[in-house]
Amino acid sequence: MAAELPTTLQYTAEHEWIDAGSPVTVGITAVAADALGDIVFVELPAAGSDVAAGAVIGEIESTKSVSELFSPVTGTVVEVNQAVVDDPSLVNTDPYGEGWLLRVDVTSTGPLLTAEEYGAVNP
Amino acid sequence: MPDRLSPLHDEHVALGAALTPFAGWQMPLRYTSDLAEHTAVRTAAGLFDLSHMGEIEVTGPDAAAFLDRALVGNLTALRVLGARYTMIVDEHGGVVDDLVVYRTGEHVYLVVANASNHEVVLAELRERADRARLDVGLDAAVADRSAATALVAVQGPHALAVVEALPGLTADPDGPADVTPATLKYYACLPLRFDGAPVLVARTGYTGEDGFEFFVDAAGAPALWRALLAAGAGHGLVPAGLSARDSLRLEAGMPLYGNELDRTTTPHDAGLGRVVKLDKVDADGVPVPFVGRDALAARAQSASARVLVGLQGLGRRAARHGYDVVASTQPDAPVVGTVTSGAPSPTLGYPVAMAYVTPEVGAEGQELAVDVRGRREPVRVVPLPFYRRPR
């Protein structure tokens, strides 16, 4: 399913991705988006709020289920993707692009996986 | 135990379906998108594999009289080639399963049970048949036809057009000569042939739309499935999975076993007291002592402790199965009920839910709230169903 796992990103076991930017951009993987089904609602932390690696910071809701969003990093949210709040289906259609969720000024990161490692447990 | 595979499993794999374990089966959850499949059924047509449902045949000279003793409905009164929504309950009136029963011959009934309850319903019917034979000498046999039977449904406003475009569908020489799919009544069935083999076509369904269900021999199911997909291509037909099926039935306000119905629930609790026929009589005019009758007779007289209501979500977050219904959005508001099913409604554009609430707060228009994972989302009591198809 997830043939296109970008090797430029790092991943969490909970299906978030982060890029190498500064601030980092955070999203969820195509594997997670596919498993959830059609995403209809996202709840994200407000810009300016502090997040901690491994903590629940939001929710992703599909027609069928609800999934918690875990922060892959510790830091301060500097931007929220309003386009995704307005049209959550962007997470399904372009999870590594237009469907990004947050930008965070990072002070430290939690445990992260390479694309190869994430892909090995999420074929 | 490994999950059972539908006779259409290879078709689902070929179509790229996401499969999910469901009631001991591997069944398609979706083929492309839940929303697209849902919308196709509301606006055009969807093709569903329901082969996981249980098919139980009841035959014999006393099949009708036996079913009157085994189920809450009056099956003696069901005409040949009619269908009826009914229930099997336990001695306490608790729902063992909800069923659709087709009378396919004077002395032949097809009982369709939910996949999760198939074995329980089969065992209950066998035991009740034994008891009816011992107690009053009724002659009825119960046979499991599930393994040999596939069930395929076409649902949606274009369902009839799809069925009429299906090549190979011909009249059954023993069937009624004056009925076609176009003139088949809602909640009735018709024996036909597909490529020469018997197929029972029923105008029933679970989506709130017009639709047809095909009971077919398992071996013939893949050919029928492919032919329906091909026939429906020009009518907007798409294969649709369990996810769309659930959101469609919720919009249509139809109860689901395990959500709105279970053994702690009587038909009356679910607002379905009308399916209970307390006044059934046998051929001699004597009241029929069906299983659960005494409990349900008492229940029909007593005040209700809870009522099943529809809730319209006023925010964007959907209530889900098991969430508390509370009296208001105030943090200290008391719990007044429990959500049994909930989801965002693709057709209506707002969240909907069914819930059991105390009768005092069950009136239409009542403002309540649902505890959505710690936050109290406002909802309003609205009539069921949420969605009714335009006629």
Side-chain angles (χ1 to χ4, degrees), chain B residues 57-71 75-76 103 105-109 138-141:
Chain B
E57 195 172 72
V58 178
T59 55
D62 299 320
F66 157 64
L67 287 172
D68 277 355
R69 296 172 72 91
L71 308 179
L75 284 307
T76 307
R103 189 170 194 173
E106 182 62 31
H107 301 299
V108 188
Y109 289 80
L138 293 185
D139 182 3

Side-chain angles (χ1 to χ4, degrees), chain A residues 1 33-43 59 61-66 68 84-88, chain B residues 18 29-30 33-36 242-244 246-247 316-320 323 342-344 346 372-373 375:
Chain A
M1 293 284 278
D34 285 348
L36 277 165
D38 290 303
I39 294 166
V40 295
F41 181 73
V42 296
E43 183 179 80
E59 288 182 348
E61 182 156 6
S62 70
T63 48
K64 288 307 294 173
S65 61
V66 186
E68 291 179 318
V84 153
V85 173
D86 295 338
D87 179 10
Chain B
L29 182 64
R30 71 177 71 85
S33 145
D34 303 336
L35 290 174
L242 289 175
S243 182
D246 191 47
S247 51
R316 288 179 65 184
R317 291 149 59 103
R320 304 282 178 171
Y323 290 6
V372 178
R373 303 177 298 284
R375 262 201 282 161

Side-chain angles (χ1 to χ4, degrees), chain B residues 206 246 249-250 254-262 265 306 308 320-322 338-342 354 356:
Chain B
Y206 196 57
D246 191 47
R249 74 94 198 161
L250 173 58
M254 295 183 179
L256 175 63
Y257 198 90
N259 289 46
E260 286 72 36
L261 301 173
D262 58 32
T265 308
R306 54 183 184 153
L308 187 67
R320 304 282 178 171
H321 174 72
T338 307
V339 173
T340 51
S341 297
M354 289 197 272
Y356 281 110

Side-chain angles (χ1 to χ4, degrees), chain B residues 200-234:
Chain B
L200 182 72
V201 178
R203 204 164 198 168
T204 46
Y206 196 57
T207 60
E209 299 297 334
D210 186 18
F212 296 86
E213 299 189 299
F214 292 75
F215 294 89
V216 62
D217 188 71
L224 175 64
W225 174 269
R226 288 194 291 265
L228 281 167
L229 275 181

Side-chain angles (χ1 to χ4, degrees), chain B residues 92-333:
Chain B
H92 308 290
V95 179
V96 175
D97 200 9
D98 62 337
L99 309 166
V100 176
V101 177
Y102 301 89
R103 189 170 194 173
T104 57
E106 182 62 31
H107 301 299
V108 188
Y109 289 80
L110 180 66
V111 177
V112 180
N114 284 295
S116 54
N117 292 330
H118 165 223
E119 297 296 336
V120 174
V121 172
L122 181 64
E124 279 291 332
L125 285 178
R126 284 183 166 148
E127 190 194 320
R128 292 177 192 195
D130 288 344
R131 212 183 315 156
R133 185 174 300 110
L134 285 171
D135 290 355
V136 285
L138 293 185
D139 182 3
V142 175
D144 187 13
R145 299 285 181 229
S146 299
T149 307
L151 177 56
V152 172
V154 181
Q155 293 278 307
H158 297 176
L160 176 60
V162 174
V163 172
E164 290 189 321
L166 178 67
L169 195 64
T170 54
D172 182 311
D174 299 327
D178 55 340
V179 184
T180 65
T183 60
L184 184 63
K185 298 266 196 307
Y186 186 57
Y187 260 71
C189 61
L190 177 65
L192 293 174
R193 296 290 175 95
F194 175 70
D195 285 352
V199 54
L200 182 72
V201 178
R203 204 164 198 168
T204 46
Y206 196 57
T207 60
E209 299 297 334
D210 186 18
F212 296 86
E213 299 189 299
F214 292 75
F215 294 89
V216 62
D217 188 71
L224 175 64
W225 174 269
R226 288 194 291 265
L228 281 167
L229 275 181
H235 298 282
L237 177 81
V238 300
L242 289 175
S243 182
R245 178 169 156 87
D246 191 47
S247 51
L248 290 158
R249 74 94 198 161
L250 173 58
E251 285 183 347
M254 295 183 179
L256 175 63
Y257 198 90
N259 289 46
E260 286 72 36
L261 301 173
D262 58 32
R263 290 233 189 192
T264 72
T265 308
T266 67
H268 300 82
D269 294 332
L272 294 165
R274 63 186 158 76
V275 307
V276 179
K277 303 300 181 192
L278 295 171
D279 55 357
K280 282 186 276 190
V281 292
D282 67 15
D284 300 322
V286 178
V288 174
F290 66 87
V291 178
R293 186 188 186 283
D294 292 347
L296 291 177
R299 176 64 187 76
Q301 298 301 316
S302 64
S304 174
R306 54 183 184 153
V307 292
L308 187 67
V309 297
L311 300 176
Q312 174 182 351
L314 304 178
R316 288 179 65 184
R317 291 149 59 103
R320 304 282 178 171
H321 174 72
Y323 290 6
D324 283 343
V325 181
V326 291
S328 76
T329 53
Q330 295 301 309
D332 57 349

